[in-house]
């Protein structure tokens, strides 16, 4: 039976036979195209917000003076048009300036490759909100897991270790950011807080393993608007006992740390203590049973 499927043997094409090495390499380089703005679609679930701040104003002035110096990156969509991988701020600036097109490099990327590239291109930015970083890490984490990068590389590295390899954040810090994404949606809408306020809130939530209730989130917003959101205010607010909370026994952390690894969370320490008390109670019960049997 005749096999009509083409087999790529990696041989040089007829036209390439007459090209110099430099010409062949140049032909394989990504080409910059002028893509109409109307054909560009923002990346699905893009975690980074485009803000109308001073940085955006500076970008618009630069584009108005000399044009877009750094091409955006996109991939083709099955039904036509392009999905923007990086360059959302440049797209917004070009639209605000009334431009019709912008320079874009189009690459053939899988869903996982697109997510990883999108996250990497934005995580290196200087000003990123903790909520934005949290979702970017979570999206890249899921993409790496689905892609099976660890096994492809022939390593035994955990996915969060792979994330930390090309990041200024440690593996434990990345884990803490990803945990933020498991909060209820209303709490995750922290964009109304200033970056410094988000960092402050994130630090308290992380160290004390507490999350604000919906009413507390609203109060956080009011304090932010009134410019009264300080470290002490956040600590006092989140230390309040919520209506649905049970009572807790408070033990100074420094008295417990010597029994655990430095990276052990409060939740893990609590679970271990409960198991230890259960074991202790069973031990006492056995002692009483042995004593009664004598």
């Amino acid at each position: 039976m005749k096999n009509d499927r083409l087999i790529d043997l990696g041989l040089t094409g007829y036209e390439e036979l007459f090209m110099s090495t430099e010409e062949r390499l140049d032909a394989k380089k990504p080409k910059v195209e002028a893509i109409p703005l109307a054909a560009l679609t923002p990346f699905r679930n893009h975690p980074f917000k485009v803000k109308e701040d001073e940085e955006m104003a500076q970008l618009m002035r630069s584009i108005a003076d000399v044009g877009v110096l750094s091409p955006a990156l996109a991939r083709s969509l099955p039904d036509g048009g392009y999905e923007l991988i990086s360059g959302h701020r440049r797209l917004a600036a070009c639209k605000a300036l009334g431009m019709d097109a912008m320079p874009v490099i189009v690459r053939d990327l899988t869903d996982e490759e697109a997510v990883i590239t999108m996250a990497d291109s934005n995580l290196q930015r200087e000003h990123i909100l903790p909520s934005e970083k949290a979702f970017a890490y979570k999206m890249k984490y899921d993409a790496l897991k689905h892609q099976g990068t660890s096994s492809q590389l022939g390593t035994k590295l955990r996915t969060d270790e792979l994330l930390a390899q090309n990041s200024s954040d440690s593996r434990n810090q990345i884990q803490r950011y990803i945990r933020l994404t498991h909060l209820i949606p209303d709490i995750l809408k922290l964009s109304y807080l200033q970056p410094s306020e988000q960092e402050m809130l994130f630090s308290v939530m992380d160290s004390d393993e507490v999350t604000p209730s919906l009413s507390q989130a609203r109060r956080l917003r009011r304090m932010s608007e009134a410019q009264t959101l300080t470290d002490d205010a956040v600590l006092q607010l989140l230390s309040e006992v919520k209506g649905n909370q049970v009572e807790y026994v408070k033990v100074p952390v420094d008295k417990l740390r010597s029994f655990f690894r430095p990276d052990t969370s409060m939740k893990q320490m609590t679970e271990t203590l409960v198991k230890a008390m259960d074991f202790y109670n069973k031990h006492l019960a056995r002692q009483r049973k042995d004593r009664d049997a004598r």
Side-chain angles (χ1 to χ4, degrees):
M1 186 178 198
K2 183 178 179 181
N3 187 353
D4 294 328
R5 189 173 64 181
L6 293 176
I7 300 176
D8 183 7
L9 298 177
L11 300 177
T12 303
Y14 177 78
E15 293 181 354
E16 286 189 71
L17 291 174
F18 300 96
M19 291 182 180
S20 65
T21 301
E22 184 177 346
E23 288 173 329
R24 282 196 292 270
L25 291 174
D26 185 66
K28 294 180 180 179
K29 288 181 180 177
K31 294 297 185 293
V32 178
E33 305 176 41
I35 303 293
L37 303 186
L40 294 168
T41 302
F43 194 85
R44 184 168 54 90
N45 298 326
H46 193 254
F48 298 94
K49 304 293 184 277
V50 175
K51 307 176 187 68
E52 295 183 4
D53 52 14
E54 179 56 31
E55 287 188 7
M56 174 60 75
Q58 291 178 1
L59 177 62
M60 289 179 62
R61 287 194 292 269
S62 173
I63 292 176
D65 291 340
V66 297
V68 179
L69 298 178
S70 179
L73 178 65
R75 64 171 180 165
S76 299
L77 291 171
D79 299 327
Y82 304 89
E83 181 180 35
L84 203 58
I85 307 298
S86 68
H88 292 75
R89 295 172 70 251
R90 278 161 282 175
L91 174 62
C94 289
K95 285 183 176 180
L97 291 169
M99 299 171 61
D100 297 322
M102 65 183 287
V104 179
I105 295 174
V106 180
R107 286 183 179 166
D108 184 18
L109 299 172
T110 65
D111 290 344
E112 291 76 21
E113 290 170 341
V115 168
I116 293 169
T117 304
M118 178 279 299
D120 286 343
S121 64
N122 286 279
L123 284 169
Q124 306 303 320
R125 284 165 43 192
E126 183 178 357
H127 302 115
I128 306 176
L129 296 174
S131 52
E132 295 174 331
K133 184 178 283 192
F135 277 103
Y137 275 137
K138 180 64 165 62
M139 292 175 71
K140 185 177 178 181
Y141 179 91
D142 291 341
L144 287 171
K145 291 279 284 187
H146 189 268
Q147 191 182 57
T149 304
S150 296
S151 58
Q152 289 177 13
L153 294 175
T155 70
K156 295 182 179 179
L157 290 178
R158 293 165 39 142
T159 303
D160 50 12
E161 290 175 331
L162 289 173
L163 284 173
Q165 280 188 337
N166 299 313
S167 171
S168 58
D169 294 313
S170 67
R171 177 173 63 86
N172 290 337
Q173 184 73 2
I174 289 172
Q175 288 177 336
R176 290 193 284 267
Y177 274 116
I178 292 177
R179 281 204 300 270
L180 273 182
T181 64
H182 298 299
L183 303 180
I184 57 177
D186 286 329
I187 302 301
L188 287 170
K189 296 175 182 177
L190 300 172
S191 58
Y192 56 79
L193 297 180
Q194 297 297 317
S196 59
E197 294 172 337
Q198 283 204 31
E199 291 285 0
M200 181 197 316
L201 178 60
F202 171 73
S203 176
V204 175
M205 290 168 60
D206 174 46
S207 61
D208 293 357
E209 292 198 341
V210 293
T211 57
S213 64
L214 289 176
S215 62
Q216 288 174 329
R218 297 189 187 102
R219 289 164 62 190
L220 285 169
R221 180 167 190 167
R222 289 197 294 270
M223 285 192 290
S224 175
E225 292 171 346
Q227 298 183 350
T228 59
L229 193 58
T230 62
D231 286 0
D232 291 339
V234 172
L235 284 168
Q236 182 176 350
L237 179 66
L238 295 187
S239 65
E240 295 176 352
V241 178
K242 305 179 183 70
N244 60 348
Q245 281 184 332
V246 297
E247 290 186 316
Y248 287 90
V249 175
K250 293 187 177 181
V251 180
V253 177
D254 59 345
K255 293 185 179 297
L256 299 177
R257 284 291 179 195
S258 60
F259 299 102
F260 297 92
R261 291 170 46 185
D263 60 345
T264 305
S265 69
M266 289 297 294
K267 181 179 179 181
Q268 291 171 324
M269 286 193 287
T270 302
E271 291 173 350
T272 302
L273 287 173
V274 171
K275 291 178 182 178
M277 290 305 301
D278 182 59
F279 176 81
Y280 177 69
N281 284 334
K282 289 178 180 178
H283 174 69
L284 289 180
R286 283 196 301 270
Q287 283 187 328
R288 284 193 296 267
K289 184 177 180 180
D290 293 340
R291 188 171 53 249
D292 294 341
R294 292 172 187 167

